[in-house]
Amino acid sequence: MNSSAASLTHDAFRPQRDAGRGFRAWLAYEFKRALAPRRAGALVALALLPAAIILLLGWVARWHGDNPASMLSPGFYARLFDELLLRTVVFFGCAWLFIQLVRGELTARTLHYAWLVPVRRTRLGGGKFLAGMGAALLLFGGGTLLSRLAIEYMRDLPPAGAEWGTLGGYVGVAALACLGYGAVFFLLGAGVRQPLFPALAFYGWEQINFLLPPWLQRCSIIYYLHALHPGSIPQHEWGFVPPPISYGAAIAWLLGIGALSAWLGVRRFARLEISYGGEE
Amino acid sequence: MSASIPMAAGREAEPMIRLESVSRFYGDVLGVNRISLEVSGGITSLIGPNGAGKSTLMNLIAGLIPPTRGRITVLGVTPSEAESLFPQLGFCTQYDVFPAGARGRDWVRQNLLWHGYSRGDAAAMCERALARVGMTAAAAKKLESYSKGMRQRIRLAQILAFEPRLLILDEPLNGLDPLARTEMAALFRSLAAEGRGLLISSHILHEVEAMSDRVILLRDGYLAGEGGIGSVREEIQEHELQWLVRCPKPARLAALGLEARAENGRPLINQARVFDRPEPALLLGTPAPAAFFLALNAWIARGEIEVETITPADDDLDAVYRYLFGQEGA
């Protein structure tokens, strides 16, 4: 240890701070952290699952001498997108990703490092959410794109014309799902000490959405995602018919729910105390 | 955009830290209660037994937790004003953890990037800080592989790197070997000589008395006393404390200590108990800790003994408080 070294305050070396640069560094760090191999490995596998299933089914069909196109129809993809991509991959992927953004740091006892940097806590929280959104869009938007390309590949129908619009529609709905679910789980991660049970209750609520009266169906994310679904998904034989809603209104509601949840999550995050438990 | 330091010229004479009747409760549990004090430059030690409220007080000062009641001002601003406060305040917390997979140099540099320095400046500042704490050679290793002492040093480098005016260090000597303690104390003194303020916590009065300008004594969440170190030093030297020294040859260390004499002719060790299990160690009592550690360093330097760790065995400061204040507490 060099205790006799020159003073740290050196006239010839006085670097300048830039608050904006500090925030961008925080954003980049959080984005990398969200996609760190030890954390994102399972998320990448989850995001690639739909594409992998499609490729597997296609190859099995070919192996049996069948035409994969007959199995991998647009209707098949519409159901796969709803039941596997939206309700499972995006839902659970966002649950893991966004809850970990805050709760993971509390569990690892590292949040205090963030609290000691010269960036406002609301900006730190906003940065965390934006970084999580970036990672979710990359993973699950990318996963949706790959699954759609996989089905076109198996059907030997390269996307053209309207197909590109449909593909964009699926990716867009997946992105809105990331925003809606991500914001809700960010709020849960920042506001609830044990977010697992609320997350499971939320999952159940989304699953039984079709059983709820129309006015309650509006109190969900999946209702608006279904309204924007680019394909046609079969109605359940029992339950309530979902009330009609325009594309614009559905997008506005999803953006509103996402923004409100994210704002509440950031506020809650900014008020967190560093009390990991057991240290006093 | 260049961040400015919001210290008006007239504020230099103001205390660096001002607490006005600050209380903090964890539900029904008392953290600290009605603490009012002012801390200026130099080295101030915050002393108290485990659970006295030292970490709570430090966390309050740095804004990691808000007070239940009272008002805190640090370097002229409140702890919630992160953009104004944290370019000037460095805090080594009690939490001895790092993000998984991080390496020493990267972690120090990352903190500078969050502070808004350019990559080039951050790299240069990082190297200066690493050199100052003697961690340049080990900085490329993963933090998980560091010893306790190395972790203490890298955390110190992390806050030294951005040159704060005020450093708050929670038990910075904990887990260090005697040589490292001496080096760290010298570093603290040099930082204070540069005009920085240091608030250092310890549950062992003897540990910091040699380097402190002022002590603040906490007990059970209350301010038990405060004042210049000179007023209590002589009395402290009369109070015997016990230390546990882990070393391969505890009997040899006991023999050296029992033979050696302080300047006043008193033995450096007047109690010694050797343990073979679970690992070789010596439990010793010394009435002259400063002289004992000086001699210990000399024995280590001459290769007469090796020491792995040295930790205070007498965590109970109540005796010291009774000794100093003639009562059970505040």
Side-chain angles (χ1 to χ4, degrees), chain A residues 1-3 7-9 13 15-18 21-22 29 38 109 112-113 115 120-121 273-274 279-280, chain B residues 1-3 24 56 63-64 83 86 94-95 97 100 114-117 121 132 160 163 190 194 196:
Chain A
M1 208 176 310
N2 184 10
S3 60
S7 161
L8 286 174
T9 310
F13 182 70
Q16 292 295 303
R17 288 179 56 247
D18 181 325
R21 193 161 51 202
Y29 173 81
R38 69 176 69 190
R109 296 178 166 226
H112 61 279
Y113 289 113
W115 262 206
R120 273 204 309 273
R121 289 181 187 175
E273 295 181 11
I274 301 299
E279 71 266 20
E280 287 297 326
Chain B
M1 181 174 58
S2 174
R24 168 70 200 199
T56 296
L64 296 189
E83 285 166 319
F86 292 117
Q94 63 181 318
Y95 309 113
V97 286
W114 288 340
H115 274 250
Y117 293 105
D121 287 342
R132 194 150 201 206
L160 281 181
E163 305 182 14
S190 74
E194 291 166 10
R196 305 182 201 284

Side-chain angles (χ1 to χ4, degrees), chain B residues 98-99 101-104 107 141-147 151 154:
Chain B
F98 299 95
R103 295 174 190 275
W107 186 232
K141 293 180 181 172
K142 284 195 172 181
L143 291 160
E144 290 104 327
S145 68
Y146 282 6
S147 67
R151 293 200 299 273
I154 207 76

